Amino acid sequence: MQTYVGLAQVYGVSGEKKKAREVIIKAYEETLRKFPKWPKEMPWGILENRAYLRALQYRADLFWDDDESDEAIKLFRILLKLNPDDNQGVRYEISALYAGVSGDELNKMFDEGNEKQNWDNLHKLVEEQNLKHNFWKEPKYD
């Protein structure tokens, strides 16, 4: 599985979108084969889970790119259930999707946050959309 995810990243960085897409779909299909029924959780902290979580996120991103919002939202919600700590930042993607913000616009928001070391706009986006759509419960740490 890690091979597919790695290839998707390499193809994506090198601009080979068609090949990246093919590998992402293959990784997603293999993930579905491995998990015909989703486990209760698939925490990011378990290294073996990461490739499967990435395959789901990449496939959700493809759905988003293809204007298949319902399918993207379904996968983003599954990811938040499987990995409730959301180490992947899926909460930002689903928030943007619900708010009608494009992936490029979301990336700009991250770039601005990183530049200014202030991510208030991203946190506000999640808070507003989560109030409307109830997709994420922020973890409580002791």
Side-chain angles (χ1 to χ4, degrees):
M1 177 57 56
Q2 186 60 45
T3 301
Y4 293 125
V5 170
L7 283 171
Q9 291 173 335
V10 169
Y11 288 141
V13 168
S14 64
E16 297 183 61
K17 290 184 178 188
K18 184 178 178 190
K19 286 184 179 180
R21 178 182 194 79
E22 290 170 2
V23 175
I24 289 168
I25 290 170
K26 180 70 173 167
Y28 175 68
E29 290 169 350
E30 290 297 319
T31 299
L32 292 178
R33 257 191 283 291
K34 170 85 173 164
F35 300 100
K37 182 179 179 204
W38 296 117
K40 184 177 178 184
E41 281 193 359
M42 194 183 293
W44 184 260
I46 298 173
L47 296 179
E48 293 80 17
N49 291 340
R50 292 183 183 186
Y52 299 111
L53 293 167
R54 285 185 177 120
L56 291 173
Q57 186 176 21
Y58 293 171
R59 185 63 180 109
D61 289 340
L62 284 182
F63 281 130
W64 187 7
D65 290 345
D66 294 342
D67 291 323
E68 295 182 53
S69 299
D70 291 343
E71 291 301 313
I73 287 169
K74 188 180 344 179
L75 281 183
F76 286 142
R77 284 182 171 273
I78 288 169
L79 278 162
L80 290 171
K81 179 181 175 285
L82 293 172
N83 180 26
D85 288 346
D86 189 29
N87 310 80
Q88 295 171 268
V90 170
R91 65 188 177 275
Y92 300 108
E93 290 186 284
I94 195 171
S95 296
L97 188 54
Y98 276 129
V101 173
S102 73
D104 287 338
E105 292 170 305
L106 180 63
N107 288 337
K108 286 178 187 171
M109 291 174 75
F110 270 106
D111 290 344
E112 282 179 16
N114 291 337
E115 183 179 316
K116 296 176 182 177
Q117 293 294 291
N118 180 328
W119 298 270
D120 288 347
N121 289 337
L122 288 162
H123 296 301
K124 183 179 176 187
L125 176 68
V126 171
E127 186 177 314
E128 288 173 354
Q129 295 307 312
N130 198 32
L131 279 173
K132 293 178 187 176
H133 302 284
N134 193 31
F135 51 83
W136 186 59
K137 186 172 186 164
E138 188 167 358
K140 300 217 185 302
Y141 302 105
D142 294 333

